[in-house]
Amino acid sequence: MQIQSHPLPSEKMMFQLNLRRRGISDQAVLKAMEDVPRELFVSPADHDYAYRDTALGIDCGQTISQPFVVAYMTEQLQVRPEHRVLEIGTGSGYQAAILSKLSREVVTIERFRTLADRARKVLARLGSANVEVVLGDGLDLPETLGTFDRIMVTAAMEEVPQALLNRLEPGGMLIAPVGPLQSSQMLKRFQRSGEDYPSQELVAVRFVPTLPGVAREL
């Protein structure tokens, strides 16, 4: 059976309608979700499921989050066109592509070379010139990366390291799934206020764990 290379118009309509029904209201986020072709970021075997509201497996034992979670996290991060954004956990590159439509610059960190290389190619194909994919350890960032207005962590952390919070600009926001790595976590949003980082609990989620170091294989 031949896999469809493009979604049916009805699938894209239901995709957008589902996001709106579930409470996504930021028009810039909805437009970004509409404009980025999700089918390019899933495995060929899953092309027919690209616009269903479900997480899908990708290489290296990782996942591409369900569309609602991508849209919700993006909306809650309150990204603006002047912002410099850091993403920890590139995965397929889909979230970075969404963020690239909303911000000035995106730096995305991936520990698996296979995923970093593939994401780089797909993002280049889309013309996402404001995204830099870095092979590295999201828990040990080079000082040369500097600071960010917004940080999104797309893998679970038992707690957010202070060193990562310190990468926020004054008034900057960080969003991350925080809690036990082998069960559900709480999506939390932190905002820098001077040297304080008050947080807000948003919604229960389940993500693959954040792991230290660069993967030796894959």
Side-chain angles (χ1 to χ4, degrees), residues 13-133:
M13 286 178 61
M14 286 304 298
F15 174 77
Q16 283 283 315
L17 183 59
N18 183 57
L19 294 178
R20 293 172 185 270
R21 281 176 172 168
R22 296 193 64 182
I24 305 301
S25 59
D26 187 308
Q27 293 303 306
V29 172
L30 288 166
K31 187 174 191 312
M33 296 291 292
E34 181 175 12
D35 289 347
V36 174
R38 185 174 162 88
E39 69 273 15
L40 296 184
F41 295 90
V42 305
S43 69
D46 286 332
H47 276 194
D48 286 347
Y49 310 108
Y51 288 91
R52 294 185 185 178
D53 195 30
T54 185
L56 297 169
I58 57 174
D59 290 339
C60 307
Q62 305 301 295
T63 60
I64 176 173
S65 296
Q66 69 188 89
F68 172 73
V69 170
V70 172
Y72 181 80
M73 289 181 70
T74 305
E75 185 173 66
Q76 291 297 321
L77 198 57
Q78 301 175 24
V79 180
R80 299 292 176 259
E82 68 273 16
H83 286 162
R84 184 170 189 250
V85 182
L86 171 67
E87 179 194 27
I88 294 179
T90 310
S92 68
Y94 179 66
Q95 178 70 78
I98 298 294
L99 292 169
S100 76
K101 299 285 187 182
L102 302 166
S103 62
R104 172 174 60 88
E105 179 186 357
V106 179
V107 177
T108 179
I109 311 290
E110 177 53 58
R111 68 187 300 267
F112 290 105
R113 185 178 298 276
T114 295
L115 295 180
D117 289 347
R118 186 178 188 279
R120 216 174 270 122
K121 290 176 183 175
V122 177
L123 290 163
R125 176 179 171 186
L126 289 177
S128 302
N130 62 336
V131 181
E132 179 185 3
V133 180

Side-chain angles (χ1 to χ4, degrees), residues 188-204:
K188 298 179 75 172
R189 182 173 60 201
F190 299 77
Q191 184 163 15
R192 182 166 191 170
S193 177
E195 295 308 310
D196 295 325
Y197 301 86
S199 66
Q200 178 183 1
E201 294 187 348
L202 298 174
V203 68

